[in-house]
Amino acid sequence: MKPFRKPNLSQLHHLIRFTFNSPLYPLNLHLHNHQTKSLSTDSQDPKTTTNSLSNPIDAGSSNRKPISLWPGMHHSPATHALWEARSNIFEKTINGNSDSSSFDPKSPSQSRTSILYNFSSDLILREQYRNPWNHIRMGKLVEDFDALAGTIALKHCCNEDGSTRPLLLVTAAVDKMALKKSIQIDVDFTIVGAVTWVGRSSMEIQLEMIQSPHAENPNISNSPAIVANFTFVARDSKTGKAVPINQITPETEKERLLWEEAEQGNKLRKKKKEENKRGENEDSARLGALLAEGRIFSDMPALADRNSILMKDTYLQNSFTCQPQQRNIHGRIFGGFLMRRAFELAFSTAYAFAGAAPHFLEVDHVDFFKPVDVGNFLRLKSCVLYTELDNPARPLLNIEVIAHVTKPELRSSEVSNRFYFTFGVNPEAIKNGLRIRNVVPGTEEEAQKVLERMDAENS
């Protein structure tokens, strides 16, 4: 064992100077409440916009909040900043200053919010978002997207004085979080979003991630790197029933186009549900074709296609007990945390299947069926649902992750979430001889899932 050495005075001075000059005092991550009226990429620079949410957030301020307002500590710097920004609204609600009779319509610009990541100068912040391949850690970004969407939903439901009714605003679904271009790990970026459509008790929120142009990276443009659409629903905090929320009044041409697109999408989803209930979407021929190869694996395994694999042989899973540190401001497990855990399992599934590190392309869809509470025993199961091999040089892997809330005492298990992701494979690995196999469903239930997912993607 090496003897302990006391640090000399110069070493101590260097350590103290490094600690208090660190970007963590405070975190160099700011919120901005933009008054622009659309999600266009030529909006004003977020660094020049100031208001009550643009001041630096004290990293230790959560410790001074009442415990009822203190969300779990298992979160990223971005979620920390966003929850701090929300706490003033919740304090007004608890203090009884809210007006439950106010349902004034709002424009998208009133909920527009962005969060800035100073990756070029904040080395410690950047390191928390770096993955082993020196790229952005997408699981943490997915978590941050959900947190920002929640803040935007809350702002839309606020009154002019900043107060709001005691609502439960929960993530109902995520539709198409698509990667439009590669993300540079050492370049600043902003995630910005606003409410684009409102039903009676639900709202849709569009988010965009935009990287800042940089002199050393002339290829970076203001076009979004990621676009995502979240659906939130409002519930009464006591009864859990749906409650009405503020309507929306688009003001610009782009806001009207986004509203019309969301309105059309909702009508199509409702029509699809009705067709499925009547059984009009059944396609026995397609189902039989999918199952044909699976029967060969079962009945004549020696003759099965060596370039195919049964879906059941791609399964991975993990289990964990949900801890208090993972709760949100409502006391339930933070939806962004669930999305991050699902993403990381999906990534591992794609990695183990392909034999090479995959790269993220899309969050195809996420459903939130049931809330997950602190203390729940959660089981995540993932598989490669199907592969797309039309372009052999750029194969696609479609991954499904299902979350089950399991109660051993009651011998019960219920599905709480379904997550669908698409990954690509490094083209260099394909050039070097890597082959991606076709995934074959072995049961009718598996084949039905594949058809439903394919139909959803095509629509």
Side-chain angles (χ1 to χ4, degrees):
M1 180 182 297
K2 294 182 179 180
F4 172 74
R5 290 184 178 181
K6 293 183 179 179
N8 57 40
L9 289 177
S10 62
Q11 288 174 323
L12 284 174
H13 175 73
H14 173 75
L15 177 62
I16 292 171
R17 184 179 58 183
F18 169 78
T19 302
F20 287 94
N21 285 338
S22 163
L24 289 178
Y25 286 84
L27 282 169
N28 192 13
L29 189 138
H30 309 279
L31 282 173
H32 301 273
N33 180 20
H34 294 281
Q35 296 303 315
T36 52
K37 297 180 181 179
S38 75
L39 289 177
S40 60
T41 55
D42 59 349
S43 59
Q44 58 185 310
D45 185 348
K47 295 180 182 179
T48 63
T49 307
T50 58
N51 56 50
S52 61
L53 289 182
S54 64
N55 298 322
I57 296 170
D58 181 0
S61 62
S62 289
N63 296 326
R64 297 191 292 272
K65 302 295 180 186
I67 193 66
S68 61
L69 301 177
W70 190 10
M73 297 304 294
H74 186 88
H75 50 65
S76 70
T79 55
H80 179 102
L82 288 163
W83 280 332
E84 281 292 325
R86 295 189 211 176
S87 63
N88 290 334
I89 297 173
F90 274 84
E91 283 178 340
K92 291 178 182 179
T93 301
I94 288 179
N95 291 333
N97 295 330
S98 62
D99 178 12
S100 61
S101 62
S102 177
F103 296 97
D104 297 331
K106 290 192 170 185
S107 66
S109 62
Q110 290 177 276
S111 65
R112 184 179 173 86
T113 310
S114 71
I115 188 163
L116 173 66
Y117 295 70
N118 288 316
F119 276 8
S120 62
S121 58
D122 192 334
L123 301 182
I124 293 179
L125 178 65
R126 186 171 77 201
E127 193 63 25
Q128 295 183 63
Y129 286 80
R130 185 193 302 276
N131 72 11
W133 298 274
N134 201 32
H135 298 304
I136 196 79
R137 188 177 168 189
M138 287 302 308
K140 289 183 75 68
L141 275 190
V142 168
E143 187 175 21
D144 294 353
F145 266 75
D146 185 74
L148 179 56
T151 296
I152 292 169
L154 191 66
K155 283 179 65 177
H156 179 78
C157 296
C158 286
N159 298 325
E160 291 300 322
D161 62 356
S163 64
T164 184
R165 294 167 289 143
L167 300 176
L168 286 175
L169 295 170
V170 297
T171 313
V174 182
D175 189 31
K176 283 292 183 190
M177 181 183 293
L179 183 68
K180 302 292 186 180
K181 60 183 182 180
S182 60
I183 301 170
Q184 304 294 325
I185 188 65
D186 56 351
V187 177
D188 295 348
F189 67 84
T190 300
I191 303 177
V192 59
V195 174
T196 56
W197 178 89
V198 175
R200 180 182 178 274
S201 60
S202 62
M203 69 190 92
E204 290 193 13
I205 297 164
Q206 186 178 94
L207 302 174
E208 294 177 348
M209 174 188 169
I210 303 168
Q211 285 212 285
S212 305
H214 196 273
E216 298 178 2
N217 295 275
N219 294 327
I220 295 178
S221 66
N222 277 328
S223 62
I226 298 177
V227 179
N229 291 285
F230 282 70
T231 300
F232 272 69
V233 293
R235 298 285 183 264
D236 185 274
S237 58
K238 294 181 180 179
T239 65
K241 295 181 179 180
V243 292
I245 57 175
N246 308 65
Q247 290 299 301
I248 192 170
T249 53
E251 294 178 338
T252 68
E253 181 62 24
K254 179 155 189 179
E255 289 172 356
R256 282 188 285 272
L257 289 173
L258 288 172
W259 186 91
E260 290 172 0
E261 183 180 333
E263 178 74 6
Q264 184 178 8
N266 275 274
K267 289 179 179 178
L268 286 174
R269 280 190 288 273
K270 289 179 181 178
K271 183 179 179 181
K272 192 76 172 177
K273 284 182 179 179
E274 292 175 359
E275 290 177 353
N276 289 339
K277 286 180 181 179
R278 294 194 301 265
E280 294 177 2
N281 202 42
E282 293 181 359
D283 191 338
S284 57
R286 293 170 67 205
L287 198 65
L290 278 175
L291 286 170
E293 187 64 30
R295 291 194 188 96
I296 296 175
F297 271 90
S298 175
D299 300 338
M300 295 173 286
L303 300 178
D305 186 352
R306 293 298 177 261
N307 292 321
S308 297
I309 184 173
L310 284 173
M311 186 188 298
K312 68 181 182 66
D313 293 329
T314 70
Y315 274 81
L316 288 181
Q317 62 178 307
N318 59 35
S319 305
F320 55 92
T321 302
C322 298
Q323 303 295 334
Q325 294 80 11
Q326 296 147 4
R327 71 190 187 278
N328 61 18
I329 50 182
H330 299 302
R332 285 177 162 158
I333 299 303
F334 171 42
F337 167 77
L338 299 175
M339 290 178 65
R340 178 168 64 81
R341 289 299 298 259
F343 176 90
E344 290 172 352
L345 180 59
F347 182 93
S348 300
T349 303
Y351 197 176
F353 171 78
H359 58 264
F360 167 79
L361 293 177
E362 286 184 355
V363 176
D364 298 316
H365 192 76
V366 179
D367 286 310
F368 291 78
F369 298 117
K370 295 180 180 296
V372 180
D373 294 318
V374 173
N376 279 165
F377 178 40
L378 201 67
R379 301 172 63 225
L380 297 180
K381 299 180 180 180
S382 69
C383 71
V384 181
L385 200 59
Y386 63 96
T387 56
E388 296 179 54
L389 307 177
D390 297 337
N391 183 354
R394 295 186 179 276
L396 301 179
L397 315 179
N398 293 271
I399 312 295
E400 177 190 60
V401 181
I402 301 179
H404 297 258
V405 172
T406 304
K407 299 179 181 178
E409 301 89 346
L410 303 177
R411 300 174 64 191
S412 67
S413 181
E414 293 183 296
V415 174
S416 61
N417 304 82
R418 289 184 187 271
F419 309 85
Y420 297 96
F421 305 92
T422 300
F423 292 90
V425 181
N426 189 342
E428 288 299 318
I430 300 296
K431 288 181 182 179
N432 292 332
L434 179 69
R435 299 196 65 173
I436 301 300
R437 288 191 281 180
N438 182 43
V439 175
V440 177
T443 67
E444 187 171 331
E445 181 183 1
E446 290 177 346
Q448 192 65 53
K449 286 199 302 183
V450 172
L451 287 181
E452 288 175 359
R453 193 68 234 143
M454 287 179 171
D455 288 342
E457 285 295 296
N458 292 333
S459 64

